[in-house]
Structure formats: structure tokens, C-alpha cells
Amino acid sequence: MTSFADLLQKDRAGVDTLIARLPKAELHLHIEGSLEPEMMFAKAKKHGITLPYADVEALRAAYNFGNLQEFLDLYYAGADVLRDQDDFYDLTWAYLQRAKADGVVHTEIFFDPQTHTARGIDPEVFVEGIVQALHDGEAELGITWRLIPNFLRHLTEQDAIDTLAELEPYMDNFHGFGLDSSEVGHPPSKFARVFAEIRSRGLPVVAHAGEEGPPEYIVEALDILHVARIDHGIRSINDPALVSRLARAQMPLTVCPLSNVKLCAVSSMQAHPIKKLMDAGVLVTINSDDPAYFGGYVGENYRATAKALDLTAEDLKKLAANSIRASWLHEVQKARHLAVIDGL
Ligand code: HPA
Ligand code: ZN
């Protein structure tokens, strides 16, 4: 029998329909990076904050980044409009509605506690705001979730250790920890002790590595931090032995194609290594990273990648299946989503 997927092989327009129908897990999404300019202005007004942009259009026009740091400077400044529990709730709820529209069935969300505690915001404010929205999203939209605080690697390891202590009363809400922010000059090994402490409590860890940094940072994340997934990891393409290792270990990479183009980590979508990595047997997934800043949520990341790299229906089914496999869902739930993907 000819499957839906077979038919779509010959129908590029139908690819978008397949992408919309595929149950997807999003595994690399910074909730602060889903702050749309409209919400940034609304929250600024609510709190009496003057933004250094005339309007939403002027702010959007500033989203032209030459590298990761240029983006981070704007991203941390933008997060300053998030002040109370409702702000974090609204931010998370808006993301969940977008995710639902894109066929996301499960999301594992990053947030940056230090961005908020450094401004004097109590962890209760952001943890409760985010978690309440995630609970409502599960009940009303059917999206399951995990929550992963990330440490800012441009700060000291002691700062991360102090932050972990501050988060202690809320640990039941967290399913693992991660590492983000300015990569080059801040290798994973800088956080060996705090990640060992987290793993000793039975929690998995992930780390951004090989976004702008060299393949050696990916090796450090594997060998020193003992990560369960690598966030980005695209620079592995420069090290064939590492690509083989990632494939052999079936170590998931949470790749964010639009982010990589927008931050000039790759020169164009056509030059993106995700298809080469997939063909080499690496367990790659597609995610949106900071969709309000990079021009698209997860569905747009799938569509843009499929178009630029001429992905087939089988490739797309594999990417969605990879996202479910690489998630921290229970096996029974994984099997249920994988069966749906198989049937498309
Ligand atoms: N890289 C590193 N840190 C980040 C990113 C990213 O793409 N997005 C938000 N924090
Ligand atoms: Zn990221």
C-alpha cells in the first residue's frame, strides 16, 4: 500500500502538511527567547520601563546578529521586562500556544535563573509562573513537559553553585540542568564540580557545546560533564572521529537550524550540516532555541530545513521520531508518539 509519506515524497507542497501532522518533541527552547517584541513592549508599559526602541518594528529591525554574543546582549536586556509571576506565566503560555499550533506534543524548556536572580527576582516568581503555565498547558493543550534550569557559563562556577542553593526549595519542579550563554572561552570543564553535584542527585544534565565553540568542547561535555544530550553540537562536523562517536553512542544533538543561520554559526541554511550528520547516523533533532529572535518556531525550523536541504518525508519522520526518542518522556509515552509517526 502507498503510504501518506510515499505520496508526499513527490509533492513538496505536501511536505508542510506532513510537518504539521508529525508529533514533535521540542528539546531546546529558552523560554526567555520566546519573548515576542509585542509582549516585550506590553510588559515594559505595565512596569513603567522605557525600552531603547521606538516601537515593535524598530526592535525587530535590531534583530540582526553577527554572532552569539550580539544576540545574548539583546536577549538579556529584553528579559528585564519580566518582573512578576504573571509575566512568566504569560510568556510560557504564549509559547505553549505556538507550540500546539506546530504539533508539539512534548516540550523540555530551558530557563536562565541567574538572569532573574541577578535582578533581585525571587526564584518563586519565575519558577511558579513558568510551572503554572506548564501545568495549564498539559491540562488544556495536552502538551507534556520537563523543565531544565541552565547555568550561565560566562559567570563563575561558584555563581552556579550559589544559584543551585537558591533553587533548592524548587528542585521538585526540575528534571535536569543545562549550560548556556557565551561559549568560547567558557568550556564545559569550568562547570565540572557543579554538574557532578547535580548528577549525584540522580538528575541528568545537558550542555550547549559546539555551537560556536570547537569540537573539543563537545568532547568535554561528554567526558567531563557526562551529558545526556548535546545542545547544538553542529561543530562536530569538523571532527569525523567525533561524528562516529556521537553516532555509535546515539548521543542526541538538539540542533536549531534557524538560530545557527541567524547567529552566523553556519553561512546559510543550504550549508547547514544537519543532513550530513543525520546521514552519518547521528541522532539529530530540530528545535527553535529562541524563536522570537530567530524568525520562527519549531514548525518553521522544520519547513526551512526541509526546503533548503530537500529533506524527504522519511527524513522528516526520522527527525520527529528522534525528538521523541531523545526526550525524557516515559517509554510508554514515547511508544505512543512513535506509533503515530510510523502511521503517517
Ligand atoms: N546559545 C547559548 N546560550 C543561549 C542561547 C544559545 O543559542 N540562547 C539563549 N541562551
Ligand atoms: Zn540554546
Side-chain angles (χ1 to χ4, degrees):
M1 196 183 81
T2 309
S3 72
F4 183 58
D6 288 335
L7 288 172
L8 289 183
Q9 294 273 26
K10 299 178 183 61
D11 174 12
R12 298 301 310 174
V15 164
D16 288 359
T17 311
L18 174 63
I19 290 170
R21 285 192 187 187
L22 285 168
K24 294 172 277 298
E26 176 145 60
L27 306 177
H28 185 157
L29 177 281
H30 304 262
I31 199 65
E32 296 91 345
S34 71
L35 177 59
E36 290 286 343
E38 288 79 5
M39 187 178 287
M40 200 190 294
F41 269 88
K43 296 298 182 190
K45 186 170 176 202
K46 168 182 161 185
H47 295 296
I49 300 164
T50 306
L51 295 173
Y53 301 93
D55 52 28
V56 164
E57 286 69 38
L59 175 56
R60 265 216 178 84
Y63 292 176
N64 252 313
F65 311 112
N67 55 41
L68 172 60
Q69 192 59 51
E70 288 182 19
F71 154 69
L72 289 171
D73 292 344
L74 239 82
Y75 159 86
Y76 294 131
D80 185 42
V81 304
L82 302 168
R83 301 267 171 111
D84 62 28
Q85 196 169 315
D86 284 349
D87 298 338
F88 286 93
Y89 181 97
D90 294 345
L91 175 73
T92 308
W93 183 248
Y95 160 70
L96 289 168
Q97 286 176 303
R98 301 260 199 167
K100 177 73 181 175
D102 274 348
V104 171
V105 294
H106 176 75
T107 188
E108 303 193 355
I109 291 187
F110 296 149
F111 71 101
D112 292 333
Q114 288 150 300
T115 298
H116 312 305
T117 53
R119 300 182 288 123
I121 299 190
D122 195 293
E124 182 179 350
V125 170
F126 50 83
V127 174
E128 295 296 333
I130 294 169
V131 168
Q132 190 57 55
L134 289 169
H135 279 298
D136 289 354
E138 183 158 6
E140 294 175 37
L141 307 173
I143 300 176
T144 51
W145 56 276
R146 303 286 184 265
L147 187 56
I148 308 172
N150 274 224
F151 295 121
L152 301 180
R153 68 201 306 158
H154 68 275
L155 303 178
T156 61
E157 186 182 45
Q158 188 57 49
D159 203 300
I161 292 167
D162 295 344
T163 302
L164 182 61
E166 270 192 274
L167 292 176
E168 212 63 67
Y170 309 97
M171 288 297 277
D172 285 354
N173 297 289
F174 310 142
H175 303 87
F177 277 76
L179 185 66
D180 67 1
S181 193
S182 323
E183 185 180 10
V184 175
H186 304 285
S189 49
K190 181 177 163 185
F191 295 89
R193 287 181 307 153
V194 69
F195 272 62
E197 164 63 24
I198 290 160
R199 281 186 295 103
S200 77
R201 300 172 185 216
L203 285 174
V205 297
V206 296
H208 284 56
E211 178 183 17
E212 284 186 341
E216 289 74 22
Y217 283 22
I218 300 173
V219 174
E220 280 196 8
L222 296 171
D223 292 342
I224 299 176
L225 302 188
H226 303 284
V227 293
R229 296 192 294 250
I230 298 281
D231 296 315
H232 293 295
I234 54 168
R235 291 285 209 109
S236 59
I237 200 70
N238 298 331
D239 182 345
L242 178 56
V243 170
S244 300
R245 178 182 176 183
L246 293 169
R248 250 192 338 271
Q250 286 295 283
M251 171 59 56
L253 303 189
T254 65
V255 178
C256 308
L258 288 173
S259 164
N260 297 147
V261 174
K262 198 79 177 155
L263 299 186
C264 308
V266 300
S267 58
S268 69
M269 198 57 99
Q270 285 75 20
H272 201 287
I274 188 167
K275 171 80 169 133
K276 287 198 183 92
L277 290 166
M278 185 159 61
D279 290 346
V282 179
L283 202 161
V284 289
T285 63
I286 287 188
N287 310 272
S288 71
D289 208 6
D290 302 282
Y293 292 88
F294 299 152
Y297 286 74
V298 72
E300 187 54 28
N301 274 272
Y302 272 80
R303 288 189 293 275
T305 308
K307 188 157 180 252
L309 301 179
D310 208 24
L311 299 185
T312 65
E314 284 312 314
D315 292 334
L316 292 162
K317 287 173 69 172
K318 175 147 207 169
L319 286 162
N322 283 352
S323 76
I324 300 295
R325 287 202 179 92
S327 77
W328 295 340
L329 275 169
H330 300 299
E331 293 303 322
V332 178
Q333 291 168 296
K334 286 188 185 182
R336 192 158 46 79
H337 294 310
L338 290 171
V340 174
I341 295 170
D342 244 4
L344 284 175

